[in-house]
Amino acid sequence: TMPSQPLKIIQNSQKQMPCNVEAESALIGSILVSNEIFDEISTRVDSQKFYDPIHKKIFETIEMLISKGLLANPITLKNYFENNEGLKELGGQEYLIKITKFSTSVKQAIDYANIVHEMHVRRELVKISESTLDEASNNETSSGEEIIQNTEKSLFDLAERGHFNQSFLKFDRALTQTIEMAKNAYQNEEGIVGVPTGLTDLDSKLGGMHKQDLLIIAGRPSMGKTALATNIAFHAAKNIANKGTKSTVAFFSLEMSSEQLATRVLAEQSKISGDKMRKAELTKDDFKKIAKSTSELEDLNLFIDDNPILTIATLRARARRLQRIHGINLIIIDYLQLMSSSNKNKNEGRVQEISEITRGLKAIAK
């Protein structure tokens, strides 16, 4: 049986790094005996979450074989590790056979996967803490506010993706994501993978609004940009409600108050003008229509932020918090020119300032 050690501290490069190599070997042993377990734990664990470099390499090889529809066991892995010095030190192929003796049920394998994930998160937290400590101790580098933003981003990336310092992505992983997207489009009758705008012709052209996209609606004053944006926000939120997914639409309104924005949405859905509502020119039937529309709109996962002062840093922080609590499918900002630049250099022109804001928005989208 496996030793039940939830946490082990190993001294490495003068740092105490949390790990549980026994849980790692038990998890790999279970997969080598029954490859079906891999599907159960693959959403929780990847090769980068293993502490032991040999375990990392073994898991990578298992992942590669299973993705090709091949069997992964000590015999099929033998060719990949014949010249691996690290595995030879552990006993070569005999080590692969040895860890299969730790094979457990699917439920226990999931528990071990959770331990591996937990130890990985703790190691990443140690790295983030050390990075923050280094930045805070060095007076000549970043300001306190920048350090907070950097740390917040690192913690957010760790919480969302399981890594805070992930750099390169091997092409096969990117390819897998593309195939998944194409499969979803194929299976969707409407052919829309992204967030729908609610405008049929536009959705057929775009296939919906896709993740990581930055879309800018441009037009002269009073041409209906805000009306279009509120319609898109409504349809996107309605789509989320219909699918029953845990997500939201965030609307940052720098020009209008939340009340004005809600009036617009209500007016559009009830077909009663906002002007009529404000002037108290409503009939009994109008009130019935408004009441019906209100009950339909109440459950919309639409969050409005009507703070008139918004910088990229503030938007990023608020969006991250909302993403962590509720999840976000779409962010709408009305409108771009009202956003403030965080750049303190007053010599910069307005064009440079807008360019900086646009770059920041694209980074948030990604």
Side-chain angles (χ1 to χ4, degrees):
T1 57
M2 278 286 302
S4 56
Q5 288 179 285
L7 178 61
K8 191 189 231 182
I9 304 292
I10 287 185
Q11 193 77 19
N12 178 38
S13 303
Q14 300 176 332
K15 297 174 186 175
Q16 285 189 325
M17 297 302 273
C19 69
N20 190 324
V21 287
E22 289 88 353
E24 291 180 5
S25 56
L27 178 60
I28 291 169
S30 300
I31 297 168
L32 290 176
V33 170
S34 177
N35 284 184
E36 288 76 19
I37 287 173
F38 180 82
D39 294 330
E40 299 295 328
I41 60 95
S42 59
T43 55
R44 191 72 175 149
V45 172
D46 59 50
S47 59
Q48 299 305 310
K49 292 184 180 177
F50 286 82
Y51 177 80
D52 190 302
I54 296 302
H55 289 161
K56 190 177 287 189
K57 181 68 180 168
I58 294 169
F59 194 86
E60 274 178 5
T61 311
I62 291 170
E63 202 171 25
M64 181 267 293
L65 288 169
I66 291 175
S67 70
K68 290 181 178 178
L70 301 172
L71 184 67
N73 63 25
I75 296 165
T76 58
L77 260 67
K78 182 185 175 184
N79 294 339
Y80 295 93
F81 290 94
E82 276 180 335
N83 300 316
N84 190 297
E85 293 299 326
L87 190 63
K88 280 180 183 175
E89 286 176 24
L90 293 172
Q93 191 192 7
E94 286 70 30
Y95 178 73
L96 295 173
I97 296 165
K98 178 186 166 187
I99 61 175
T100 58
K101 291 174 185 172
F102 296 140
S103 174
T104 56
S105 65
V106 174
K107 186 184 179 304
Q108 281 180 297
I110 291 169
D111 289 340
Y112 292 139
N114 288 335
I115 292 171
V116 171
H117 174 77
E118 171 69 14
M119 295 303 105
H120 161 77
V121 169
R122 287 172 184 251
R123 288 194 299 275
E124 296 287 286
L125 284 169
V126 170
K127 293 177 193 174
I128 292 169
S129 303
E130 287 173 347
S131 176
T132 305
L133 185 63
D134 288 343
E135 278 193 81
S137 303
N138 191 344
N139 294 327
E140 296 174 9
T141 53
S142 311
S143 66
E145 191 178 336
E146 286 170 330
I147 294 168
I148 291 169
Q149 286 171 19
N150 292 339
T151 306
E152 188 180 45
K153 182 184 185 303
S154 299
L155 288 168
F156 174 78
D157 288 345
L158 176 60
E160 283 301 300
R161 293 193 282 273
H163 299 278
F164 92 93
N165 59 355
Q166 196 171 10
S167 53
F168 296 107
L169 182 71
K170 199 166 179 289
F171 185 69
D172 63 340
R173 281 191 176 275
L175 204 57
T176 304
Q177 293 168 2
T178 304
I179 292 164
E180 189 66 28
M181 182 268 290
K183 188 177 81 174
N184 291 338
Y186 177 72
Q187 290 172 345
N188 192 325
E189 290 177 8
E190 297 169 349
I192 297 169
V193 183
V195 179
T197 63
L199 298 164
T200 312
D201 290 348
L202 187 59
D203 283 333
S204 66
K205 289 280 185 190
L206 300 175
M209 295 174 287
H210 294 263
K211 287 182 179 181
Q212 304 188 32
D213 277 355
L214 172 65
L215 304 172
I216 296 175
I217 298 168
R220 295 190 301 279
S222 301
M223 295 297 284
K225 295 186 295 295
T226 300
L228 175 57
T230 52
N231 263 290
I232 290 172
F234 167 76
H235 282 286
K238 195 176 178 184
N239 180 260
I240 290 165
N242 291 343
K243 285 184 175 177
T245 52
K246 184 182 179 289
S247 195
T248 60
V249 173
F251 199 119
F252 290 85
S253 177
L254 286 84
E255 186 180 31
M256 291 186 178
S257 68
S258 55
E259 185 191 0
Q260 288 172 311
L261 208 59
T263 304
R264 277 207 172 204
V265 175
L266 185 58
E268 282 158 14
Q269 299 314 310
S270 65
K271 303 292 185 286
I272 296 164
S273 76
D275 201 41
K276 216 175 175 186
M277 290 184 206
R278 278 189 294 268
K279 292 178 181 175
E281 295 173 354
L282 301 172
T283 64
K284 210 172 208 177
D285 286 341
D286 290 339
F287 267 113
K288 283 180 183 175
K289 285 180 187 175
I290 289 169
K292 186 173 180 292
S293 298
T294 304
S295 64
E296 290 171 359
L297 294 169
E298 275 175 347
D299 296 328
L300 278 185
N301 282 352
L302 177 60
F303 285 80
I304 299 168
D305 186 317
D306 60 2
N307 194 316
I309 298 167
L310 188 67
T311 63
I312 286 293
T314 311
L315 172 65
R316 191 187 295 120
R318 288 178 190 167
R320 278 201 193 112
R321 288 184 195 116
L322 197 56
Q323 166 69 2
R324 284 297 305 132
I325 300 165
H326 302 285
I328 298 179
N329 260 24
L330 174 69
I331 295 173
I332 296 174
I333 299 147
D334 186 30
Y335 54 92
L336 182 69
Q337 291 96 315
L338 290 179
M339 284 195 74
S340 308
S341 169
S342 55
N343 197 334
K344 302 295 187 289
N345 188 355
K346 298 297 178 186
N347 296 326
E348 291 268 330
R350 184 62 176 151
V351 174
Q352 282 83 357
E353 190 179 17
I354 293 293
S355 297
E356 187 205 323
I357 291 166
T358 310
R359 281 196 302 272
L361 292 177
K362 180 62 184 176
I364 290 170
K366 285 195 78 180

